[in-house]
Amino acid sequence: MPKAKIKNKESDDPELIREWPLPVAVTLGSAVRIKGILQEIRSRLPTSVRKSLDMQSGGLILVMPETAKTVFRATTSTVSIALADMAKLPVIPREIEDILAITASERKRWLEDGRLPSAGTRTVRLQGRARRITFHVFDPRVVEDLLDRGAVDEWREEDAAAKAENRRRAAYQAKLTRSLKKQKKAKQVEQNADDALIGLFGWDEFGSDGLLR
């Protein structure tokens, strides 16, 4: 495939343009998700034309110089085919955080306790580095269901109630511990007093016998 020349932004040369609006069922209302879709499709294109494809409000746009008709047609076909599968593209961590408006700590906590079901893991190599990272991904239809039924609000209420209960139990345990310490201390004082009395038993008789004189 011949390389497409990237058009100068200030040029008035004729352009070839193709736009693809993305439905909410695909983007889940997230600009972060659109960027993820853009990056996924770019990865399937030749390096020379990747930057010709970009995101715009609610979708993607392909812009090439008019002289690149052959490359434009081939790229348009590749993008259209790829987009047909994007509704099934797993949701990655930064996307689900944006879609559900949750924090990274909430995502990790709910993933660990099973409320946020994983659709598997994905391993990628960090750009420009040898190190790979592995992370959980999520089924877009499951994420859509969680969004529609307001599951996040329910989970936050559950967490708040659990946190309050944990504080109550901790306060009770602390109070019980203090009470046991007081009881132990009182018993020790009582024992010491008993020991003192036992030690002095017969002391008066011992003195009256004149053994101390």
Side-chain angles (χ1 to χ4, degrees):
M1 181 183 294
K3 294 184 178 180
K5 296 181 179 179
I6 304 302
K7 182 186 71 66
N8 189 305
K9 292 184 178 180
E10 298 181 355
S11 172
D12 291 327
D13 293 340
E15 296 175 325
L16 300 170
I17 300 175
R18 172 69 186 273
E19 299 180 12
W20 291 270
L22 298 178
V24 175
V26 174
T27 67
L28 299 175
S30 169
V32 177
R33 175 76 168 164
I34 295 177
K35 185 175 182 180
I37 291 172
L38 170 65
Q39 292 174 338
E40 177 65 24
I41 296 179
R42 274 181 172 178
S43 69
R44 305 182 188 187
L45 298 176
T47 305
S48 59
V49 301
R50 288 178 181 176
K51 290 186 178 180
S52 298
L53 182 68
D54 208 344
M55 59 184 289
Q56 61 177 7
S57 58
L60 304 180
I61 183 170
L62 177 67
V63 180
M64 288 185 177
E66 193 177 37
T67 54
K69 291 182 180 179
T70 301
V71 179
F72 181 79
R73 284 194 296 269
T75 305
T76 297
S77 177
T78 300
V79 173
S80 297
I81 293 172
L83 280 174
D85 295 329
M86 289 302 104
K88 301 177 183 177
L89 183 69
V91 178
I92 62 177
R94 65 171 178 265
E95 294 174 358
I96 196 171
E97 289 169 13
D98 184 60
I99 293 166
L100 298 180
I102 62 177
T103 64
S105 61
E106 287 176 327
R107 170 179 56 80
K108 292 175 183 177
R109 180 168 68 251
W110 296 334
L111 177 64
E112 290 174 357
D113 65 23
R115 283 180 284 183
L116 188 59
S118 170
T121 59
R122 180 176 177 183
T123 301
V124 299
R125 186 190 300 276
L126 295 178
Q127 187 173 6
R129 301 181 185 179
R131 188 167 70 92
R132 294 175 177 270
I133 59 171
T134 300
F135 50 85
H136 286 272
V137 294
F138 309 91
D139 186 325
R141 301 287 70 85
V142 172
V143 175
E144 184 178 29
D145 177 64
L146 295 175
L147 182 64
D148 290 344
R149 62 186 176 88
V152 168
D153 292 334
E154 295 178 7
W155 294 348
R156 284 175 176 157
E157 290 178 3
E158 292 171 359
D159 288 352
K163 189 174 182 180
E165 177 63 17
N166 289 338
R167 284 199 299 265
R168 187 192 67 77
R169 290 182 179 178
Y172 173 77
Q173 186 62 42
K175 183 178 180 180
L176 180 61
T177 301
R178 290 193 299 270
S179 177
L180 292 174
K181 285 182 178 179
K182 288 181 180 179
Q183 291 178 19
K184 183 177 180 180
K185 186 175 181 180
K187 287 182 179 180
Q188 186 63 48
V189 170
E190 183 179 350
Q191 183 64 44
N192 291 341
D194 291 343
D195 292 344
L197 289 174
I198 293 172
L200 293 174
F201 181 77
W203 181 261
D204 292 338
E205 290 82 355
F206 183 76
S208 65
D209 290 340
L211 298 177
L212 296 178
R213 293 194 291 270

